[in-house]
Amino acid sequence: MKIIVTGGTGYIGSHTTVVLLQQGYDVVIVDNLCNSSVDVIDRITQITDRRPQFEKVDLSKETPTNNFFQQHQDAAGIIHFAALKAVGDSVKWPTRYYKNNLGSMVNILENMQQYSIGSLIFSSSCTVYGQPDKLPVTEDTPVQKAEAPYGNTKQINEEMIVDALAANEISNAISLRYFNPVGAHDSALIGELPLGVPTNLMPYITQTVIGLRQKVSVFGNDYDTEDGTAIRDYIHVVDLADAHLVALERLLKGQNADPYEVFNLGTGQGNSVLDVIKSFERSTGLKVPYEIVGRRAGDIEKIYADTQKAENILNWKTTRDLDQMTASAWAWEKHYREVIEKR
Ligand code: NAD
Ligand code: WQD
């Protein structure tokens, strides 16, 4: 059975492609490589002994996207990861973000309708909740006005899906709201590879310890948390990838209770920035040079998921802890710098 994975050479898409191939699905990756490399296909093949098909297409462009779908109209479902995702860049270049993230969704929805492709899984984000009043965050927690254009594209993408479903343009969809995905595949052959200076915590830590950066700036230790640093729900990317398989199969088997469902994907555990640094030091035996600096503009104090809905309905929960996340992030950084980058 053929599944289209948009953004499949990217961080989360590549891990999900591995899971799908290992489960016997035929995968067609469609990606314009604006934030990933085509070499990822070889490494996915190395892990799975199966090669996904690959098409280089910019999904925000109508004609190439239509041509792509015409060729792959026999797909049973789509997992839509492709998007620009840097919050700060989205503030600098909002129009680029709207064009890319909304334009791609328009083209995908039109083609799902045209070819009656029944199932869509969409990569949403906990960013839609802003700083919620009550923790943990359930799926019923109100969505708040987005702080940045990036978050707004996620909210609008979700609304586009809801409207397309209401008008029967498409038939079934699930939005998965990820908390903070980190870590890498056990093989250390795929992982997160930010362009330039990382803005996210985990790649900043691994790049510091490998020697590319001097020290980690811990943004604020005056939050109302145990150690004063901000709290997030970090989730291992392989657990996250597994959840995509479960959500996809729910739609393919027609087990969904409603045409549109939303699930939070997190561990349910909040960890502070210092917890992550300590975990990294514990799991790798290496020191993380860091200093406490002021808060980062736009950061929230704490957020973590209520995981009940995903556990009860998807029958999915995370199995990997923070030490496995930090250890695998480090194994990937080392293997990438020492082997893959030098090829
Ligand atoms: P990523 O940048 O590694 O992967 C996204 C992929 O999409 C890249 O390979 C990029 O080249 C491709 N892409 C972007 N625009 C495209 C276009 N117009 N046409 C074709 N390909 C295009 O990002 P990721 O971390 O794997 O994120 C995947 C999805 O999950 C995104 O939608 C992101 O917004 C969402 N998400 C990510 C996080 C996170 O922290 N990583 C958290 C919540 C949600
Ligand atoms: C985590 C914590 C920082 C870097 C972002 C997006 C969100 C989602 C996930 C896509 C925070 C602190 C960070 C550093 C630090 N993406 N930190 N020093 O901000 O929770 O979420 O990625 O949807 O939309 O906003 O993730 O990894 O940047 O930060 O102290 O050098 O680490 O302040 O408390 P964030 P992050």
Side-chain angles (χ1 to χ4, degrees):
M1 194 181 277
K2 186 192 275 190
I3 306 299
I4 294 171
V5 179
T6 81
T9 42
Y11 174 43
I12 306 170
S14 58
H15 288 82
T16 303
T17 297
V18 164
V19 171
L20 292 172
L21 290 170
Q22 286 173 336
Q23 286 302 311
Y25 291 96
D26 296 324
V27 175
V28 185
I29 290 178
V30 52
D31 200 301
N32 66 354
L33 304 177
C34 68
N35 197 35
S36 55
S37 156
V38 74
D39 305 348
V40 169
I41 304 286
D42 290 337
R43 287 184 263 123
I44 290 173
T45 309
Q46 208 181 326
I47 296 170
T48 62
D49 274 332
R50 296 190 61 208
R51 195 169 186 86
Q53 259 183 279
F54 174 71
E55 307 273 4
K56 186 175 173 205
V57 173
D58 182 340
L59 292 159
S60 69
K61 297 206 169 121
E62 189 173 355
T63 306
T65 304
N66 291 350
N67 293 340
F68 165 81
F69 274 95
Q70 195 182 22
Q71 274 178 54
H72 297 288
Q73 55 183 277
D74 54 331
I78 303 177
I79 310 186
H80 179 35
F81 293 102
L84 296 175
K85 62 161 183 178
V87 178
D89 286 355
S90 80
V91 176
K92 279 191 242 160
W93 299 294
T95 306
R96 184 187 298 175
Y97 269 67
Y98 287 117
K99 184 176 181 189
N100 193 73
N101 294 2
L102 304 187
S104 299
M105 182 63 94
V106 168
N107 291 333
I108 288 170
L109 292 174
E110 270 186 349
N111 278 286
M112 286 184 72
Q113 183 181 14
Q114 165 88 15
Y115 297 113
S116 305
I117 301 176
S119 307
L120 173 67
I121 308 290
F122 172 61
S123 297
S124 191
S125 168
C126 70
T127 195
V128 302
Y129 298 119
Q131 174 65 74
D133 296 334
K134 269 201 288 181
L135 291 171
V137 186
T138 71
E139 290 78 356
D140 296 326
T141 300
V143 164
Q144 291 193 31
K145 184 175 165 26
E147 280 257 353
Y150 166 73
N152 205 22
T153 70
K154 291 296 169 196
Q155 295 188 6
I156 298 170
N157 272 178
E158 287 199 24
E159 288 167 4
M160 290 165 76
I161 295 171
V162 170
D163 290 344
L165 286 165
N168 289 319
E169 291 183 342
I170 64 167
S171 36
N172 295 291
I174 291 180
S175 287
L176 299 175
R177 293 180 179 157
Y178 315 153
F179 280 61
N180 286 52
V182 294
H185 192 263
D186 279 344
S187 63
L189 287 168
I190 52 173
E192 189 173 9
L193 195 57
L195 284 179
V197 181
T199 54
N200 293 115
L201 178 63
M202 191 68 85
Y204 208 101
I205 292 175
T206 58
Q207 289 198 10
T208 300
V209 177
I210 206 99
L212 292 171
R213 316 274 155 220
Q214 271 196 324
K215 55 184 145 180
V216 177
S217 297
V218 173
F219 297 139
N221 68 347
D222 57 351
Y223 287 107
D224 184 16
T225 63
E226 213 160 287
D227 63 25
T229 65
I231 286 180
R232 297 288 182 273
D233 185 338
Y234 297 93
I235 172 170
H236 197 299
V237 67
V238 176
D239 279 328
L240 192 61
D242 288 341
H244 287 76
L245 173 70
V246 176
L248 176 74
E249 293 194 330
R250 179 171 171 83
L251 295 188
L252 295 178
K253 292 177 186 162
Q255 293 167 335
N256 46 320
D258 288 306
Y260 185 57
E261 294 178 321
V262 174
F263 295 96
N264 285 342
L265 298 181
T267 61
Q269 300 286 317
N271 281 293
S272 72
V273 177
L274 291 179
D275 286 337
V276 176
I277 290 176
K278 278 189 225 142
S279 162
F280 186 95
E281 293 185 337
R282 190 166 55 235
S283 71
T284 66
L286 298 165
K287 275 256 120 348
V288 179
Y290 73 87
E291 66 175 341
I292 309 284
V293 300
R295 292 183 180 193
R296 182 171 67 177
D299 268 351
I300 58 168
E301 181 167 272
K302 53 176 122 150
I303 189 162
Y304 49 93
D306 186 315
T307 57
Q308 285 305 306
K309 188 174 176 194
E311 278 179 37
N312 295 340
I313 296 179
L314 293 180
N315 203 15
W316 165 90
K317 65 176 184 181
T318 58
T319 60
R320 294 163 180 86
D321 64 18
L322 188 59
D323 285 5
Q324 289 168 289
M325 300 180 213
T326 52
S328 65
W330 175 242
W332 156 247
E333 182 76 56
K334 241 172 99 64
H335 187 70
Y336 181 77
R337 301 294 165 195
E338 291 171 2
V339 181
I340 299 173
E341 197 180 36
K342 296 204 166 118
R343 273 179 195 156

